[in-house]
Structures are given as structure tokens and as C-alpha cells.
Amino acid sequence: MKRALPVLVLSVAGVIPVWRYAPSQDTASTTGAAALAPSVPSSAGPGGTTSAVVAGSTIDTEKGPVQVEVTFEGDRISSVRMLRQPDHPQTTAAVPKLIEETLRAQSADIDTVSGATVTSDGYKESLQAALDARG
């Protein structure tokens, strides 16, 4: 009888992680099927430069979907906007850093934000898809 309480507590402690388990989505199968959104037609901006807006693929991550939209002025990235992002505090803090780094690097070759690795990887993949679609 003295062992009943510890056995019960340990049993409940073992069942809770199984009960809360949510399988991760297979990003390899979902990203391959994700279609690139078409780019907005180029238009002449100030000074005769052309601008275009291109949406990257929607990348399904463990935390939720990630999708970026890139605005180009000529060949340069002028802005990046998140169309979809996980509703997570670390993601919210990481997005401005990712965008700032993208504008500085002018490519998807940017550092991962510590504490938001999953979102950073999804961001970089969606960004690279937008850059590839732009050509």
C-alpha cells in the first residue's frame, strides 16, 4: 500500500507527455507541394527603377506556417514582410532581426536567431523561394 501513491504519481507523469504529444509535420512532403505565389507585375518606381513583390513558399514548421513577401527595387531587396508566422513569443521577437539581417545581406544567407531556430529556418527557406522566383 505504501507504494501505491508513488506508482500512481509516476504513472500519471508518464502518461501526460504521451497525451500532449503532437506529431511534427513532414516539411519535405509539404514544402514540395507548396506552390509559389505569383509575383506582382513590375512597375516603374521613382527614378525609373522597376519594383516587384514576390511571395515565397509557405513553409510548414513545428511551430506553424512561415511565409515571407519580398519587395524588390531593381535588383535590391527593399523590404520583407511576414505573410504567415507562428503565434509564438520567440517568433515575434525574431522576425525584426531576420528582416534586418536580410536587408543588410541582400540574400537568404543570414544567421539563425538564437531561441527561434525553427522559425529562422522556415523564414530562410521561404525567403530563398521568393529570391529564386524572382530570378
Side-chain angles (χ1 to χ4, degrees):
M1 195 64 183
K2 293 180 181 181
R3 295 182 194 189
L5 186 57
V7 168
L8 179 64
V9 169
L10 292 174
S11 296
V12 170
V15 170
I16 289 175
V18 173
W19 176 59
R20 296 193 61 183
Y21 175 75
S24 64
Q25 295 177 355
D26 181 17
T27 57
S29 65
T30 57
T31 58
L36 290 176
S39 63
V40 174
S42 298
S43 61
T49 61
T50 59
S51 64
V53 178
V54 181
S57 300
T58 300
I59 308 301
D60 290 321
T61 69
E62 296 170 17
K63 303 289 185 185
V66 176
Q67 184 181 24
V68 301
E69 178 183 80
V70 182
T71 303
F72 296 92
E73 294 293 333
D75 290 334
R76 295 192 52 80
I77 299 171
S78 61
S79 69
V80 179
R81 184 170 69 106
M82 294 294 284
L83 297 177
R84 299 179 78 185
Q85 71 183 45
D87 184 24
H88 196 271
Q90 291 168 321
T91 297
T92 305
V95 168
K97 295 174 187 176
L98 292 167
I99 292 172
E100 180 182 337
E101 187 71 22
T102 301
L103 295 175
R104 184 176 306 125
Q106 290 293 304
S107 74
D109 186 23
I110 58 175
D111 291 332
T112 298
V113 175
S114 179
T117 304
V118 172
T119 300
S120 295
D121 291 345
Y123 173 92
K124 290 191 284 189
E125 193 173 337
S126 182
L127 177 63
Q128 186 62 56
L131 297 175
D132 292 346
R134 171 71 169 151

